[in-house]
Amino acid sequence: NDVTTLAEIAAERRAPGKWEVGPIIAGSVEGMEPETARNPATGAEIGKVVKASEADVETALSAARAWNAPVSERAAVLRRAADLYEENFGELFALLATEAGKTLADAVGELREAVDFLRYYAGEAERQTAPARGIFTCISPWNFPLAIFSGQIAAALATGNAVLAKPAETTPAIAAWGVHQMHAAGVPSDALQLLPGDGSVVGAALTSDPRVNGVAFTGSTATARRIQRAMAENLEPGTPLIAETGGLNAMIVDSTALPEQAVRDIVASAFQSAGQRCSALRCLYVQEDIAPTIRTMLIGAMDELALGDPWALSTDVGPVITAEARDDIAGYVENAEAEGRLIHRLTTPGAGNFVAPALIAVDGIADLEREVFGPVLHLATFKSRDLGKVIADVNATGYGLTFGLHTRIDDRVQTIADAVHAGNIYANRNQIGAIVGSQPFGGEGLSGTGPKAGGPHYLARFTRAEAPRHNVAAGAPADPAGITA
Ligand code: UN1
């Protein structure tokens, strides 16, 4: 593929016909009543989803077989899947826009990250072979419906496990697309099965059935706690839970920062993907000397954002995932407005699940009661002498996912990086867009269990590398004289 510009890439998108997706299991599907799936930008019907029934989960669990081909073969198949992802991207980009509301730029990032995960874990598995655990449950989020979905699965498959994947309820068609590419590349149908459905049915069964030997989960901190409880009650002690959860991410911009660069990075960190990233910037702290400049430039930059249907090439900010999410976030912003804290807000385009990017004044991060998963940025100012207090407040949230810093004081980068509890700290750049291999992604505290995705330690937890194994101990040879001390 020699396509290079977004226009050329867009030309490859094929408007998808109405699709129907359901469980992809090694056995016959029972399924639930089909439900209508809608485009978050337009509300139009895009397809039908058949959710997995309890019987389908049972069929999949009893059919699941660990993938015991040699690691070189597994790696080759995953690399072939990466090639297929790249070859068939036109179809994928159409689904990313219509099912997940992804702009073209976000779709490019999504594909890139998915492919990177497949190739990276293929290579890592060959470098660090260890026995598989058995059956892995992979529960993935809608905000990276291909990248995180594929990353979890690739890690589990590369190490030789069988995977039962539960995609997010709102993005099953993108997940099914990924499974089709993986099966076409040679992943056996009993090693990778897809169970679209509800958390209360599919998720609950896949995290409490004793046949499950490990769980990878990305989503909210509250759901991670629920999963952990179910696992503790029902699974073998020591069964790994690899969880990536929420964040309440801050950035500090001090008075030595370059305003143009800082504002560009603030806008990308807070509003790209409509703020629907756990890594997104939520609370910006600007040193008071340059706060008026940054504030004016930030409002100007927000006004340049094109909000609308992600199918359009010019769109920067697409819709949020569901009407419920829109109402929740819009309600939050209206509440801030009623309290006189709304600094700036764009205009919402007509129909669809749109939330206009908004800037809200706060005294500090302690004013944020929860992670608002949308294009909402909070702004606080600080005095130089209060820098220590700002960092203490950021740490006190208990989350520890991403943290951004803009400064021209060299020493300060290291001092602050040492003081802040966060898995990913970014200086003088945006704070989203971790890179598989070179910038592994993961959080501390309430933000996740580690190890970081896309990093060298991730695969070990999918294996029995460190698990207790039985020893065969031979007795010492008998004392020839028959005398023991
Ligand atoms: C998430 O939002 O769930 O660094 C993870 C990033 C992405 C990961 C975000 N690669 O922004």
Side-chain angles (χ1 to χ4, degrees):
N1 287 306
D2 295 325
V3 284
T4 46
T5 68
L6 282 186
E8 284 174 294
I9 290 170
E12 294 274 323
R13 285 184 306 190
R14 286 177 285 285
K18 290 232 180 94
W19 42 258
E20 177 164 325
V21 300
I24 304 175
I25 56 182
S28 53
V29 174
E30 180 189 272
M32 313 271 276
E33 276 301 297
E35 291 176 21
T36 300
R38 298 194 177 276
N39 181 332
T42 64
E45 177 173 347
I46 49 175
K48 296 269 188 225
V49 185
V50 173
K51 291 177 172 173
S53 67
E54 277 172 36
D56 295 329
V57 178
E58 178 53 39
T59 304
L61 269 164
S62 43
R65 293 285 171 278
W67 189 13
N68 50 22
V71 65
S72 56
E73 186 183 323
R74 298 196 304 262
V77 167
L78 293 176
R79 291 191 178 102
R80 202 174 314 135
D83 295 344
L84 290 180
Y85 273 32
E86 287 181 326
E87 282 163 28
N88 299 322
F89 79 89
E91 217 171 67
L92 169 69
F93 280 15
L95 285 174
L96 285 169
T98 54
E99 191 185 43
K102 291 252 171 190
T103 63
L104 209 46
D106 280 345
V108 171
E110 181 82 15
L111 172 63
R112 183 79 270 145
E113 192 173 7
V115 161
D116 287 351
F117 274 132
L118 286 166
R119 296 195 176 125
Y120 178 75
Y121 292 140
E124 281 300 305
E126 288 178 312
R127 255 189 296 283
Q128 30 171 309
T129 50
R133 289 198 156 264
I135 298 180
F136 243 87
T137 291
C138 295
I139 301 178
S140 50
W142 49 263
N143 67 334
F144 287 92
L146 187 76
I148 294 180
F149 175 80
S150 305
Q152 293 175 341
I153 289 172
L157 289 174
T159 44
N161 296 282
V163 171
L164 298 177
K166 189 196 105 53
E169 284 164 40
T170 43
T171 53
I174 294 163
W177 182 91
V179 168
H180 286 307
Q181 312 307 311
M182 291 209 210
H183 284 163
V187 176
S189 54
D190 54 8
L192 173 59
Q193 302 178 83
L194 184 76
L195 293 158
D198 295 329
S200 57
V201 177
V202 178
L206 291 182
T207 51
S208 59
D209 191 288
R211 286 167 286 184
V212 169
N213 306 108
V215 177
F217 167 76
T218 300
S220 72
T221 304
T223 305
R225 285 193 199 280
R226 236 183 350 259
I227 291 174
Q228 201 160 27
R229 277 195 295 271
M231 291 175 67
E233 290 283 329
N234 302 292
L235 305 190
E236 221 172 76
T239 302
L241 168 64
I242 303 157
E244 276 293 331
T245 55
L248 216 45
N249 312 305
M251 178 192 279
I252 290 176
V253 175
D254 78 12
S255 57
T256 67
L258 197 63
E260 287 80 2
Q261 186 194 10
V263 168
R264 187 196 62 201
D265 294 339
I266 292 162
V267 168
S269 303
F271 302 123
Q272 199 178 315
S273 314
Q276 300 173 106
R277 293 188 185 221
C278 61
S279 52
L281 169 61
R282 307 294 181 200
C283 188
L284 171 67
Y285 282 94
V286 183
Q287 192 171 335
E288 72 179 3
D289 326 43
I290 59 159
T293 311
I294 296 282
R295 185 181 147 125
T296 307
M297 288 173 64
L298 178 56
I299 290 171
M302 285 173 71
D303 286 338
E304 295 297 314
L305 292 172
L307 181 61
D309 189 340
W311 198 268
L313 276 189
S314 55
T315 296
D316 298 308
V317 179
V320 296
I321 192 71
T322 57
E324 294 73 42
R326 174 198 62 203
D327 295 346
D328 174 57
I329 303 162
Y332 178 89
V333 175
E334 275 157 28
N335 190 41
E337 185 177 25
E339 292 173 5
R341 296 188 293 112
L342 182 65
I343 302 171
H344 192 60
R345 177 177 47 195
L346 304 188
T347 317
T348 311
N353 308 330
F354 291 98
V355 177
L359 184 65
I360 291 173
V362 286
D363 291 332
I365 200 164
D367 292 351
L368 279 62
E369 279 153 25
R370 61 184 173 108
E371 179 186 34
V372 174
F373 214 68
V376 179
L377 176 63
H378 302 85
L379 175 64
T381 57
F382 71 96
K383 294 186 205 312
S384 178
R385 63 165 187 269
D386 293 332
L387 187 57
K389 159 110 174 69
V390 169
I391 292 168
D393 287 350
V394 169
N395 287 341
T397 65
Y399 289 97
L401 201 50
T402 71
F403 178 83
L405 173 65
H406 271 270
T407 182
R408 298 278 137 192
I409 305 171
D410 257 2
D411 288 357
R412 187 164 267 184
V413 176
Q414 199 54 52
T415 321
I416 293 186
D418 289 344
V420 169
H421 306 157
N424 288 65
I425 297 178
Y426 299 110
N428 298 325
R429 51 153 282 177
N430 62 48
Q431 73 192 79
I432 54 170
I435 300 167
V436 173
S438 57
Q439 281 158 13
F441 184 80
E444 300 177 3
L446 296 174
S447 295
T449 58
K452 292 182 180 182
H457 309 296
Y458 193 65
L459 287 194
R461 296 222 71 204
F462 289 80
T463 71
R464 294 189 186 272
E466 286 149 24
R469 330 251 330 263
H470 65 272
N471 289 332
V472 180
D479 186 311
I483 302 161
T484 49

